[in-house]
Amino acid sequence: MNYEIAKEPINVQSVIDKVVQRDAGAITTFIGTVRELTKGKKTLYLIYEAYEPMAVKKLEQIGTEIQERWNGAQVAITHRVGKLDITDIAVVIAVSTPHRNDAYEANRYAIERIKEIVPIWKKEHWEDGQEWIGNQLETVSYPTGKPEEKDLNE
Amino acid sequence: MNKILFFAHLRDEAGHESVEIDAAGKTVAELKELVAETYGVQKLDTSMTAINEEFSSNDEVIREGDTIAFIPPVSGG
């Protein structure tokens, strides 16, 4: 179970432990946390929601993509859902590879892909309201109904 | 019958997490029109669609028993 959606706080070490391997010279860990201020606006808390079975599949797909691109990589990703307070951990990505440069690059790739293809949404709650993030600015559209190759490489 | 799933703001707009519609034989684009009319859901044109948990295009034809999910632009991470 290297790819998980969690309803409880994430144990960072347990994610790291999944990618420990004798061939690794490096493990990089990305920890995504809930930020208080976005463009000067104060967030009180977030609600994350996932289409869970598909989200797990898409996390697995990201892991497969990484293993195709970076030789010898092992990947584990856990994303939390539910109500998260400021400083709480929303996502942990661990990547191990034989050499450190690959571990950094592959880990960066994973978080960018999560933001493109994994069906997880956050609802921001502020002092004066709440909003689902992702579509309101209408900066992203999918005229064909699914992500285009160009969307996936940005 | 087909199960249709709504997420995030689409669920708020539709007022349902999921509904049952007979959509077999329709394309995804046709289903989007029907759902927009029936449930007053806007912005389906800016949503992705998944059939049985895999992204699909607007011209894909829905089969009996397929589960269709409308996926607004995601904001995980």
Side-chain angles (χ1 to χ4, degrees), chain A residues 135 138 140-142, chain B residues 9 32 43-48 71-73:
Chain A
N135 199 31
E138 297 184 355
V140 182
S141 66
Y142 301 95
Chain B
H9 70 87
K32 280 184 177 178
K43 294 181 180 170
L44 279 176
D45 52 335
T46 58
S47 291
M48 300 180 278
I71 311 230

Side-chain angles (χ1 to χ4, degrees), chain A residues 21 23-24 66-67 69-75 96-98 102:
Chain A
Q21 53 167 330
D23 289 336
I66 286 172
Q67 287 173 325
R69 285 169 173 74
W70 288 277
N71 219 358
Q74 287 196 15
V75 185
S96 67
T97 57
D102 285 354

Side-chain angles (χ1 to χ4, degrees), chain B residues 12-39:
Chain B
D12 293 349
E13 280 182 45
H16 300 276
E17 279 184 25
S18 70
V19 295
E20 299 266 336
I21 294 181
D22 182 9
K26 292 188 196 306
T27 64
V28 167
E30 288 165 349
L31 177 64
K32 280 184 177 178
E33 279 181 32
L34 177 66
V35 165
E37 274 177 31
T38 311
Y39 298 98

Side-chain angles (χ1 to χ4, degrees), chain A residues 11-149:
Chain A
N11 179 332
V12 178
Q13 187 62 47
S14 77
V15 181
I16 295 170
D17 288 345
K18 294 175 187 174
V19 302
V20 169
Q21 53 167 330
R22 297 183 75 86
D23 289 336
I27 297 175
T28 53
T29 309
F30 174 84
I31 302 171
T33 56
V34 178
R35 177 177 59 236
E36 182 165 43
L37 290 174
T38 298
K39 292 176 182 164
K41 200 165 184 179
K42 189 174 176 179
T43 299
L44 299 180
Y45 61 92
L46 298 179
I47 303 280
Y48 277 98
E49 166 186 320
Y51 179 17
E52 190 169 333
M54 182 170 171
V56 171
K57 279 189 187 175
K58 291 290 134 187
L59 292 175
E60 286 170 355
Q61 177 185 328
I62 291 169
T64 303
E65 290 173 2
I66 286 172
Q67 287 173 325
E68 286 167 1
R69 285 169 173 74
W70 288 277
N71 219 358
Q74 287 196 15
V75 185
I77 307 173
T78 299
H79 200 300
R80 193 170 162 201
V81 291
K83 179 174 183 279
L84 275 73
D85 294 314
I86 307 306
T87 75
D88 279 355
I89 295 172
V91 61
V92 176
I93 303 167
V95 178
S96 67
T97 57
H99 301 284
R100 66 180 179 281
N101 191 50
D102 285 354
Y104 276 113
E105 284 185 4
N107 201 305
R108 178 66 189 264
Y109 177 87
I111 186 65
E112 301 304 333
R113 286 295 270 156
I114 286 172
K115 290 173 180 291
E116 292 167 343
I117 66 163
V118 181
I120 297 174
W121 302 269
K122 70 175 168 188
K123 192 177 200 176
E124 290 256 11
H125 288 254
W126 304 290
E127 282 163 331
D128 60 348
Q130 56 191 50
E131 192 166 28
W132 285 106
I133 304 303
N135 199 31
Q136 283 69 22
L137 299 176
E138 297 184 355
T139 52
V140 182
S141 66
Y142 301 95
T144 67
K146 65 179 183 180
E148 302 288 334
E149 194 62 28

